[in-house]
Amino acid sequence: MEQTNKLPEKVKYDLKFAREIYSLENGSYIKQCMQCGMCAISCATRDIMDYSPRRLFNLIKLGKKDEVMQANTFWYCTSCCTCLVRCPRGVPLVDVMHDLKKYALDNGYGDYPQAAFYKAFWAEVAGRGKSFEGGITARYFLFRGLDEVLKYMALRDVGINMLKHRRLPLLPPKKVKDLGNLKKIIRKARELSGKEAR
Amino acid sequence: MEKKIAVYICSGCGIGDALDIDALSKVASKEYKADICKSDAFLCGKNGLELIKKDIAEEGVNTVVVAGCSSRVNTDVFNFGSDKIVERVNLREQVAWSHTGDDEDTQMLAEDYVRMSLAKLKNLNIPEPFIGENLSSTVLVIGGGFTGLTAALESARAGYKTVLVEKEAVLGGYVGKMYKQVPMKPPFTELEENSIPALIKAAEDAGVKVYTSAVIAKTAGGPGMFDVTIAQNGTDIEERVGAIVLATGAKPYEPEKLGHLGFGKYGNVITQSMFEEMVAAGKMEANKVAFIQCAGSRDQEHLPYCSAACCIESIKQALYVKEKNEEANVYVYYKDIRSNGQYEHFYKRAQQEGVIFIKGDVTDISESDGQLTIEADDHTMGTKSEADEFDLVVLANGMVPTAALGDLVEQEAEEEAAAASDEPKATVPPVVKSNLLNLEYRQGPELPALKYGFPDSHYICFPYETRRTGIYAAGVVRAPMDMLSAVEDATGAALKAIQCIESTIKGEAVHPRSGDMSFPEFNMNRCTQCKRCTEECPFGAINEDAKGNPLPNPTRCRRCGTCMGACPERIISFKNYSVPMIGNMVKAVEVPEEADEKPRILIFACENDAIPALDMAGINHIQYNPWVRIIPVRCLGSLNLVWVNDAMAKGFDGVMLLGCKHGDDYQCHFMKGSELAEIRLSKISETLNRLGLESERVRATTVNIMDYDKIPAMLDDFAAELEELGPNPMKDFQ
Ligand code: SF4
Ligand code: SF4
Ligand code: SF4
Ligand code: SF4
């Protein structure tokens, strides 16, 4: 299986970017990756990833910020956890992938549809305490631009079927009770994530 | 000794079901006139043993033949004291368990084995051990570095007088100069204080006698009686020691040869040992450092092997840099990180500290303004890479054993070589004049090397053991290794030295025939001074006296019998192993006439791997060809060609030698035996052809102990080939 790689040109090792990533909550685990390739052979979506997890980690060490941030790798990670349980070095790959997604969003590398979906999902849940498919969809198309709607018309049968089976409510659900406390929890979690980063 | 022979046939373990015990008894009592022949259903049990002991006490039996299980089991059970001969006939593993029960051919096989044993007894005697004079139980350790100090300490603590000789003025060696050392204990992540001062103190406290600024000028004698001349400050000191541990260590590979990595060209490209000294002196200021692994090692142009310690040493040195400045940029360029065993934790620790590991080959190093730039092929990413502004580049330049430093000893004198040129010869192990032991041995002044100048002997079965009995190599002079392994080596070698001393005191052989009291005896009046024994003894046990006669040194002998197989005059024998003895076994086999269509194949099987493999086949009840008759030999090196002649004259259809695979990757337990046997065999083919016998009837094959399941096919293939050739034409003329 040949990987759909975009191999970088000649690299100049530069630790600035790497150190930034190491400072994310789980970023420092990347340091202990020994390039054994266990994650790469375990990953179900590796074939469609630009770089396998291991290569992505290596790129971080090489300081290739653009390549890393523009890669689809962490957006294609399905959080299936297979690599995580197999990694002999105990790298919590799924958490690292989450950190990378967040870092990408915070730094304006959110071009992937998955990014828009994440943002939409998060905005819904943070604002309501519950997810609402209609809201997520609406927000998603807002982020992605209305052109995207046309592409998704092909899926309208699915939508109609889901409606028929009451799997796609038309009206938003009620917010959770005491939304204020939820917001506090989220704030606290954010603080902690900053602190726990090593 | 007048032999009173009693044969005990066991019918336990399925033997009685497979064989006709009465018929077997007749072979012993009628055909061979054994004084007593009895059988028992459980010979190793209380009653069975009583039966034997009673006959010994009341009937004066002094030669006991146990026909039952393999001689590899129950040795302690069937031990009736050193003044009794015990001979085992293997009816269990090699007959009942590996052949069809209640069958004519199986019965013939068992009867032949009884005949062979009784025939062998004719010339067999109880060995009288050789006890040397003035035996010493002192352990001499050569080399006062980490391994040497550890070995000396261990042997002194075990209660043996220990002498340590170090060529430098101070003890400590390579490790002594280190700033800190790699972790030696869990969790294997922390740098440790240099252990040398504590080791020196402990060795002194344990009473080790130390000579510094001293070298070994001469080593004569053998185990238990080595006479060593120590040269110290112009004076010679004599010490008599029992065994020697060689721990002279290794030297870093010459960095001058690493010009392609910038050494010698740029002042900031240094070696691991230079870096160590720099840190120890507090002069290390660099904040961007690159380590280049395998600088010389694993490189056909330089050292073909892995030096085994440099990876973790570089990891340690990378941590020095990080210890001083957490923000320092440290890069390690590697082929593979070989952080064996527990050192994987140490590797991970360095990663966690932020040391960057790059799998790649350095292609260029250049300098501007004292700062270095490294270009490399990054193998993980498949790209070229460049990193610059390095203050320092440290080369992991690997190690060369001190035993490999020096010129090769010239091969045999010209005329000798010329005289022997028409004969195939075994490869002679290289001996380097490394000036460590200066042996007074006919076969050269130092230890022969196994590979790359490392003087090990059999890396699988006998680490530490060298090809000179009583001299044990330990630490990096024996093989490249890290410090944890060196501790193990030092301790192991010290124990081996002690084992050697103790065995020598009892007149016993050391490994692999531990406990064997026999030794070769020379019937000197018929010696033609051909020097074959001297040359072929794998352990340098035979010197030459002033008149050119072989001069055996029994305490160096390991009882392999290679000399016995080598001697064309057949004047070398052991009390319990000799050319006529095995010849009698060959002749004792009853070979059926051609018309009976029962071919016979004779197998000489080496006791080190082949016999255990055959026994394993039996233990697993794997059936094999009943035409074979197996004779165990100490080593194929002891094979004397006359046995093959005897077998052919007797009417055997084929002869097969089963021995260890020779060569570097798997060795004969006596180094050269199986190789020598093959060479001798090649000489016999011509003779066979002349007699009108196809040389294909005789062949050498290698087996290792795990090949037991392949044995049936090996035997069947040979039997099929012999069938093609037809029966041995000498068959009916015996
Ligand atoms: S499995 Fe773990 S150690 Fe191995 S390459 Fe993947 S992340 Fe690195
Ligand atoms: S172990 Fe040997 S002696 Fe004992 S019963 Fe079995 S064959 Fe007989
Ligand atoms: S220990 Fe490491 S650097 Fe040394 S030779 Fe082996 S692989 Fe190369
Ligand atoms: S060849 Fe073997 S038996 Fe003969 S002297 Fe040498 S070690 Fe001893």
Side-chain angles (χ1 to χ4, degrees):
Chain A
M1 250 190 305
E2 211 16 73
Q3 202 166 349
T4 51
N5 271 322
K6 303 177 188 164
L7 282 178
E9 295 297 296
K10 180 162 164 173
V11 293
K12 260 195 160 195
Y13 304 122
D14 171 12
L15 291 181
K16 195 169 144 277
F17 171 62
R19 287 192 164 134
E20 229 173 286
I21 297 293
Y22 293 164
S23 69
L24 302 179
E25 184 177 358
N26 300 287
S28 71
Y29 286 107
I30 292 172
K31 289 193 239 173
Q32 69 200 46
C33 164
M34 59 174 173
Q35 294 293 316
C36 69
M38 197 63 197
C39 49
I41 61 152
S42 308
C43 180
T45 47
R46 187 199 80 150
D47 277 4
I48 51 171
M49 283 177 174
D50 291 336
Y51 308 101
S52 69
R54 133 183 120 85
R55 283 180 180 249
L56 190 78
F57 297 166
N58 211 43
L59 280 175
I60 292 171
K61 292 185 197 171
L62 302 185
K64 302 295 274 185
K65 181 170 182 175
D66 281 346
E67 277 83 351
V68 172
M69 283 297 118
Q70 285 160 8
N72 66 9
T73 305
F74 38 90
W75 295 118
Y76 276 40
C77 166
T78 60
S79 304
C80 73
C81 293
T82 314
C83 58
L84 175 140
V85 297
R86 287 186 177 172
C87 170
R89 273 292 160 92
V91 177
L93 283 103
V94 173
D95 302 334
V96 172
M97 293 299 174
H98 282 295
D99 284 351
L100 289 173
K101 285 171 195 165
K102 177 159 187 310
Y103 181 91
L105 291 178
D106 291 350
N107 289 274
Y109 292 93
D111 279 348
Y112 285 93
Q114 290 93 332
F117 184 84
Y118 270 92
K119 278 201 270 185
F121 183 85
W122 178 245
E124 277 295 311
V125 175
R128 203 188 302 274
K130 284 183 183 169
S131 75
F132 166 51
E133 288 76 356
I136 295 173
T137 319
R139 285 181 200 260
Y140 175 80
F141 287 124
L142 219 58
F143 289 133
R144 295 291 295 163
L146 287 174
D147 292 359
E148 206 79 345
V149 178
L150 292 175
K151 282 200 221 153
Y152 285 82
M153 283 315 273
L155 286 172
R156 64 180 178 277
D157 293 354
V158 180
I160 289 167
N161 269 331
M162 283 173 77
L163 274 172
K164 274 194 205 147
H165 290 90
R166 294 162 162 265
R167 285 280 174 268
L168 198 66
L170 283 173
L171 292 176
K174 267 204 212 127
K175 289 179 181 170
V176 289
K177 273 190 235 156
D178 209 354
L179 197 62
N181 267 337
L182 176 70
K183 297 220 155 129
K184 267 196 214 157
I185 292 173
I186 293 174
R187 216 179 308 128
K188 183 77 186 171
R190 281 214 163 110
E191 259 171 47
L192 286 177
S193 83
K195 264 193 212 143
E196 272 172 18
R198 292 187 295 152
Chain B
M1 181 176 95
E2 186 66 37
K3 290 193 194 90
K4 178 133 186 181
I5 302 178
V7 179
Y8 300 91
I9 306 176
C10 184
S11 58
C13 293
I15 299 169
D17 303 332
L19 298 171
D20 177 348
I21 303 288
D22 288 338
L24 266 185
S25 307
K26 276 198 199 104
V27 173
S29 48
K30 300 265 152 50
E31 236 181 280
Y32 277 82
K33 314 257 179 304
D35 300 288
I36 293 175
C37 180
K38 294 181 179 167
S39 80
D40 188 88
F42 186 20
L43 205 52
C44 61
K46 192 162 169 287
N47 294 341
L49 288 171
E50 276 309 312
L51 185 74
I52 302 177
K53 284 182 186 152
K54 198 158 157 270
D55 287 348
I56 291 175
E58 292 174 9
E59 309 286 332
V61 167
N62 55 15
T63 305
V64 179
V65 178
V66 175
C69 38
S70 163
S71 61
R72 295 174 45 81
V73 297
N74 281 341
T75 35
D76 48 342
V77 178
F78 296 121
N79 178 358
F80 306 107
S82 58
D83 57 339
K84 309 283 181 302
I85 297 173
V86 176
E87 171 64 18
R88 309 278 294 270
V89 185
N90 190 344
L91 296 183
R92 191 176 76 167
E93 285 83 349
Q94 286 176 21
V95 181
W97 286 358
S98 46
H99 296 89
T100 327
D102 199 14
D103 177 272
E104 187 193 17
D105 292 325
T106 309
Q107 182 70 21
M108 288 173 108
L109 178 64
E111 288 178 10
D112 271 345
Y113 280 156
V114 171
R115 287 186 188 105
M116 287 155 82
S117 279
L118 288 164
K120 176 180 173 192
L121 282 176
K122 252 186 255 165
N123 302 56
L124 189 144
N125 287 302
I126 293 180
E128 294 148 25
F130 173 90
I131 314 277
E133 277 169 29
N134 244 335
L135 295 179
S136 159
S137 25
T138 302
V139 176
L140 168 68
V141 179
I142 309 176
F146 182 71
T147 308
L149 282 166
T150 310
L153 177 60
E154 294 291 348
S155 102
R157 280 194 183 153
Y160 288 80
K161 208 179 139 214
T162 307
V163 177
L164 179 69
V165 173
E166 164 60 46
K167 71 173 185 329
E168 301 293 331
V170 287
L171 294 173
Y174 187 86
V175 175
K177 300 196 183 76
M178 283 180 180
Y179 167 60
K180 283 188 184 172
Q181 72 184 38
V182 293
M184 304 289 281
K185 55 177 182 298
F188 292 98
T189 53
E190 305 307 315
L191 297 180
E192 288 182 12
E193 291 308 311
N194 194 316
S195 61
I196 291 288
L199 257 178
I200 294 176
K201 169 122 195 348
E204 275 167 6
D205 292 350
V208 175
K209 186 165 159 195
V210 178
Y211 295 98
T212 47
S213 306
V215 294
I216 307 294
K218 195 173 92 186
T219 307
M225 41 210 264
F226 284 112
D227 287 313
V228 182
T229 311
I230 302 166
Q232 187 187 40
N233 309 324
T235 51
D236 281 355
I237 306 146
E238 300 281 335
E239 288 271 1
R240 171 162 272 226
V241 302
I244 300 173
V245 174
L246 183 77
T248 46
K251 287 260 172 296
Y253 181 64
E254 284 168 70
E256 290 73 23
K257 294 186 179 158
L258 302 172
H260 62 293
L261 295 173
F263 190 91
K265 223 178 343 173
Y266 312 123
N268 290 342
V269 177
I270 61 172
T271 64
Q272 278 189 329
S273 53
M274 290 161 80
F275 186 76
E276 204 71 49
E277 272 172 41
M278 191 186 241
V279 182
K283 291 199 183 114
M284 204 282 297
E285 299 295 343
N287 285 316
K288 188 161 180 180
V289 184
F291 291 87
I292 299 179
Q293 297 310 102
C294 296
S297 302
R298 304 174 66 200
D299 178 341
Q300 289 308 326
E301 310 274 294
H302 301 276
L303 304 175
Y305 51 86
C306 168
S307 293
C310 17
C311 280
I312 49 173
E313 286 301 326
S314 285
I315 288 171
K316 177 188 79 178
Q317 296 186 336
L319 288 174
Y320 291 169
V321 186
K322 284 284 185 183
E323 200 179 50
K324 197 149 180 284
N325 171 14
E326 224 182 296
E327 294 299 308
N329 292 309
V330 187
Y331 295 81
V332 179
Y333 290 83
Y334 67 93
K335 279 191 184 138
D336 304 284
I337 291 293
R338 293 192 165 169
S339 50
N340 290 345
Q342 300 296 336
Y343 285 119
E344 194 64 15
H345 300 290
F346 196 43
Y347 171 25
K348 186 168 160 188
R349 162 79 198 282
Q351 289 183 305
Q352 285 166 335
E353 295 299 323
V355 176
I356 301 283
F357 289 84
I358 300 155
K359 185 179 174 80
D361 290 332
V362 173
T363 48
D364 188 46
I365 295 188
S366 53
E367 187 194 45
S368 79
D369 291 339
Q371 292 203 310
L372 298 150
T373 300
I374 296 180
E375 281 181 46
D377 287 327
D378 184 322
H379 292 323
T380 315
M381 298 312 294
T383 56
K384 295 218 162 296
S385 78
E386 189 186 291
D388 53 8
E389 298 182 333
F390 284 110
D391 304 322
L392 210 53
V393 168
V394 183
L395 304 180
N397 52 329
M399 56 174 94
V400 183
T402 43
L405 302 171
D407 297 329
L408 268 183
V409 174
E410 287 304 316
Q411 297 274 323
E412 289 294 293
E414 294 283 328
E415 59 273 330
E416 242 179 285
S421 63
D422 55 326
E423 288 180 2
K425 276 194 137 189
T427 46
V428 182
V431 175
V432 172
K433 280 193 210 113
S434 50
N435 204 17
L436 303 173
L437 287 159
N438 290 308
L439 297 168
E440 292 259 288
Y441 280 32
R442 161 68 166 72
Q443 289 183 336
E446 298 290 337
L447 300 176
L450 176 63
K451 208 171 182 181
Y452 309 133
F454 292 98
D456 204 345
S457 73
H458 192 294
Y459 69 99
I460 301 174
C461 299
F462 318 111
Y464 331 123
E465 179 193 301
T466 69
R467 295 191 197 185
R468 295 296 171 256
T469 313
I471 305 178
Y472 301 90
V476 289
V477 71
R478 177 178 81 80
M481 66 182 75
D482 57 44
M483 289 176 67
L484 266 184
S485 317
V487 174
E488 201 173 289
D489 247 48
T491 316
L495 281 171
K496 274 289 175 193
I498 291 169
Q499 184 197 0
C500 174
I501 287 170
E502 292 301 326
S503 303
T504 307
I505 289 172
K506 286 186 262 171
E508 289 177 351
V510 285
H511 43 88
R513 295 188 59 79
S514 359
D516 187 345
M517 302 258 191
S518 70
F519 60 89
E521 295 170 353
F522 292 69
N523 178 358
M524 227 49 114
N525 13 358
R526 284 198 356 244
C527 174
T528 61
Q529 303 188 327
C530 71
K531 300 195 186 77
R532 296 249 169 88
C533 56
T534 321
E535 274 170 32
E536 291 191 1
C537 170
F539 305 106
I542 308 173
N543 274 9
E544 254 157 53
D545 67 12
K547 295 200 209 88
N549 281 321
L551 183 68
N553 292 268
T555 66
R556 293 183 201 161
C557 171
R558 300 212 197 150
R559 287 64 161 168
C560 59
T562 302
C563 50
M564 176 175 114
C567 180
E569 296 297 314
R570 298 197 282 280
I571 60 168
I572 308 175
S573 60
F574 298 77
K575 284 251 172 357
N576 55 3
Y577 188 57
S578 68
V579 177
M581 214 178 290
I582 304 293
N584 286 345
M585 291 176 83
V586 175
K587 290 175 201 150
V589 175
E590 287 212 332
V591 178
E593 304 210 332
E594 190 180 332
D596 294 339
E597 299 199 355
K598 286 187 188 300
R600 286 290 177 259
I601 301 169
L602 186 65
I603 298 187
F604 291 106
C606 161
E607 284 172 6
N608 295 294
D609 260 29
I611 286 288
L614 283 157
D615 276 1
M616 289 250 275
I619 291 165
N620 289 289
H621 293 266
I622 296 173
Q623 306 284 300
Y624 55 79
N625 200 306
W627 308 143
V628 301
R629 300 293 179 264
I630 299 162
I631 296 184
V633 293
R634 290 184 176 185
C635 168
L636 279 191
S638 67
L639 177 99
N640 197 298
L641 289 182
V642 72
W643 300 339
V644 179
N645 286 332
D646 287 349
M648 282 300 148
K650 178 79 194 168
F652 273 97
D653 300 283
V655 176
M656 189 181 222
L657 313 185
L658 282 184
C660 309
K661 182 175 164 197
H662 48 80
D664 286 332
D665 50 346
Y666 192 92
Q667 268 196 317
C668 162
H669 295 67
F670 290 105
M671 284 14 113
K672 290 267 145 234
S674 51
E675 187 183 349
L676 284 167
E678 270 182 40
I679 289 165
R680 290 182 199 144
L681 215 53
S682 67
K683 292 188 211 165
I684 206 176
S685 344
E686 208 184 311
T687 328
L688 287 177
N689 287 335
R690 226 183 294 127
L691 288 172
L693 284 169
E694 304 79 356
S695 52
E696 293 91 328
R697 290 189 186 274
V698 186
R699 81 155 49 147
T701 313
T702 60
V703 283
N704 75 53
I705 200 159
M706 295 313 291
D707 286 338
Y708 65 92
D709 53 342
K710 302 192 187 84
I711 282 177
M714 275 161 68
L715 300 179
D716 284 344
D717 289 349
F718 187 43
E721 282 172 43
L722 290 174
E723 203 174 349
E724 290 273 297
L725 293 173
N728 177 349
M730 321 275 280
K731 226 184 226 319
D732 295 338
F733 295 104
Q734 40 171 306

